[in-house]
Amino acid sequence: MYDQVVKTQSIKVTNVPCEDGKGTFAEVEFDWEEYGTPQSSDGQPKPVVVILPFFLGRVRAAGHSGIDGATNKPKDVGYWDGIIGPGAPINTDTHRVISFGPLINAKCSPSVTNPNTGKPYGSAFPNFSFRDYAVIHRRALTQLGVGQIDLLAGASLGSLQAWHLVAQDFTLVKRLMIVVPGGFMLPGKTRTLAAKWVEQLEADPAWNNGDYYEAAPEKKPVAVQRVLAEFWYRCQFPMTGTMVFEPDEEAWAEVLGKLKLLAPGITTEAITAGDAINALKDSKNPNDQRFLSQINSLIKGTDHNALLWQLRTVGTFGADAVFKETDDLRFGWMGDQPIEDTRPNGQVMPKVLILYAPDDDIFTVEEVLATKKAPLGLGQQVQVVALKPKLPHASGLVSKPLESLGSIIGEWLRSGNVPAFTSKL
């Protein structure tokens, strides 16, 4: 636990790539925080831990903003506070820990005023791919005096950003820890969900290609409600065998559902996320009601375009392709088969620890398995540990499930290995 008040800082990076490197944007600004000191007591630079943000996430991974007078408890506690701090698995006594906030945020998004027009950017705001993210993060780290990362970590979308940062420069990262992650390749289910949600957001008649900020409240897009509801349901509940996600399957499930109302003899096990959410509305379970309240809060706090732009980024994931394209790595391929596990300069591939949720409904286990066969010997460096069964995707976005694996994380950080019995794949 990092029991300290943390100050959120802001960093600006200028002339950054956008549109997957095909364009340039004048400036991006996003939050960052630091836990622990940059130097040890004897004045030596500490090794650096960098944490990248999850989807619709926040910058605060550890610490808090102060004590709540009413409860006498810390406010705004970091999402991984239980594994970061003095003597914790991510040890602030021995490491400088840097956490980045989302690139798309209140200071950098389509809703921000375009200085050339005096109006919100809207449709003029550029898209950013994961390749663009990697360059931006690298430049931000340079500004912060970081030239080497001892541990790069991220959950969910943070894992995808981390893969690209590693793929674009192996010299930068020594170790990679990813939680409820996408594997070396993006799961087809994740890509399908992101594409479906992008289509739904863009199909909203009031979206107006992103230029809706000056419209009256009743004429602004509402598809964000449907998309966020399904996204949050799949984050908060473990995967089931009956909930479909392909658009064609959803359409068929809806047809069967209507037929069932007309003819009770019609049976179907397939349900949509909308069916599941509607069923919760009649539930008396406090957890179900809390979930519905969370959705309402998310909807109120999320801009339609901000959600859309981040979902577009998901579809650009291609770390596997970047590995093949990197000049320094081409020597390691013969056809599609890796033949070496080091760079020409002798640097060993980063060690990788994957902490996955077996019943994750956003990222699927198959791609975690496939990561152990990643190219250029990277797969030989991968160790995989499962969280407890029946935990949802969101279990990796909070401290408690990870605290139970604290000794495993700590041992891996010390020795590069985890106990054999903990590796499930």
Side-chain angles (χ1 to χ4, degrees):
M1 178 184 294
Y2 192 69
D3 189 18
Q4 295 189 34
V5 174
V6 177
K7 178 183 178 182
T8 301
Q9 304 179 72
S10 183
I11 191 166
K12 296 180 180 180
V13 186
T14 59
N15 298 319
V16 300
C18 59
E19 306 295 347
D20 201 29
K22 299 179 179 64
T24 302
F25 191 57
E27 181 181 88
V28 295
E29 181 178 2
F30 53 95
D31 291 338
W32 72 283
E33 290 184 350
E34 185 171 45
Y35 320 118
T37 58
Q39 297 180 328
S40 60
S41 58
D42 61 1
Q44 296 301 311
K46 290 180 180 178
V48 177
V49 176
V50 175
I51 302 171
L52 299 178
F54 54 86
F55 190 81
L56 298 181
R58 56 196 179 107
V59 66
R60 179 149 300 150
H64 56 85
S65 61
I67 302 300
D68 188 315
T71 64
N72 201 34
K73 294 181 179 180
K75 299 182 295 183
D76 305 319
V77 177
Y79 57 88
W80 278 358
D81 189 67
I83 61 169
I84 301 172
I90 299 178
N91 192 346
T92 53
D93 287 337
T94 58
H95 286 70
R96 177 191 185 190
V97 182
I98 293 171
S99 177
F100 283 153
L103 182 65
I104 302 297
N105 61 80
K107 293 171 281 193
C108 180
S109 78
S111 65
V112 171
T113 300
N114 183 339
N116 295 322
T117 64
K119 298 180 179 181
Y121 275 100
S123 60
F125 193 77
N127 291 288
F128 293 95
S129 69
F130 283 115
R131 293 176 189 243
D132 300 328
Y133 272 50
V135 174
I136 293 167
H137 285 144
R138 182 65 188 270
R139 290 185 186 175
L141 290 168
T142 299
Q143 289 186 37
L144 298 176
V146 177
Q148 181 77 43
I149 299 174
D150 186 60
L151 172 66
L152 178 63
S156 188
L157 186 77
S159 76
L160 304 184
Q161 296 171 74
W163 273 123
H164 266 270
L165 194 55
V166 169
Q168 289 185 265
D169 187 356
F170 271 91
T171 68
L172 182 64
V173 179
K174 183 178 178 181
R175 292 176 287 191
L176 172 66
M177 185 180 82
I178 50 178
V179 183
V180 290
F184 174 68
M185 300 178 67
L186 187 69
K189 179 177 183 177
T190 311
R191 198 178 291 276
T192 296
L193 285 171
K196 177 182 74 173
W197 293 334
V198 165
E199 183 177 350
Q200 289 172 352
L201 292 170
E202 292 181 344
D204 191 312
W207 176 58
N208 193 31
N209 290 321
D211 297 318
Y212 58 79
Y213 291 103
E214 297 181 329
E218 67 274 10
K219 294 185 177 181
K220 290 188 176 180
V222 296
V224 64
Q225 300 175 19
R226 174 184 179 185
V227 171
L228 273 179
E230 179 177 1
F231 164 72
W232 198 239
Y233 187 94
R234 293 186 182 276
C235 281
Q236 293 292 328
F237 290 88
M239 179 176 58
T240 68
T242 56
M243 186 179 295
V244 296
F245 65 92
E246 295 270 7
D248 289 347
E249 293 176 335
E250 289 183 327
W252 183 237
E254 289 175 3
V255 169
L256 289 176
K258 292 176 181 177
L259 288 175
K260 189 175 181 180
L261 292 175
L262 297 174
I266 299 292
T267 60
T268 174
E269 290 186 354
I271 63 169
T272 67
D275 295 330
I277 294 166
N278 285 332
L280 295 182
K281 294 178 181 178
D282 296 326
S283 171
K284 304 299 183 181
N285 188 317
N287 290 331
D288 293 340
Q289 294 306 311
R290 188 180 303 114
F291 165 77
L292 294 173
S293 176
Q294 289 173 342
I295 287 182
N296 289 331
S297 296
L298 269 177
I299 291 170
K300 290 178 181 178
T302 304
D303 174 52
H304 187 105
N305 276 343
L307 177 62
L308 173 58
W309 258 249
Q310 291 181 74
L311 285 169
R312 285 174 174 172
T313 297
V314 173
T316 71
F317 184 81
D320 51 329
V322 178
F323 276 110
K324 283 190 175 184
E325 292 171 5
T326 304
D327 287 341
D328 287 348
L329 302 181
R330 284 182 183 158
F331 85 102
W333 288 85
M334 183 169 291
D336 289 331
Q337 298 300 314
I339 58 175
E340 296 285 351
D341 64 356
T342 60
R343 291 167 55 96
N345 63 10
Q347 180 175 338
V348 178
M349 297 298 101
K351 291 184 179 295
V352 181
L353 177 63
I354 297 179
L355 306 176
Y356 78 103
D359 298 295
D360 194 327
D361 202 20
I362 297 290
F363 292 119
T364 49
V365 175
E366 288 77 12
E367 282 68 28
V368 173
L369 277 167
T371 302
K372 293 185 69 67
K373 300 178 181 179
L376 203 66
L378 181 63
Q380 300 169 17
Q381 304 281 63
V382 174
Q383 297 192 62
V384 182
V385 176
L387 300 175
K388 293 178 180 179
K390 303 300 180 184
L391 287 179
H393 182 76
S395 61
L397 314 181
V398 293
S399 277
K400 192 169 183 179
L402 300 183
E403 289 175 33
S404 65
L405 300 177
S407 61
I408 294 171
I409 297 170
E411 179 60 29
W412 178 78
L413 290 173
R414 284 189 296 272
S415 68
N417 294 294
V418 299
F421 70 88
T422 64
S423 184
K424 301 299 184 183
L425 297 178

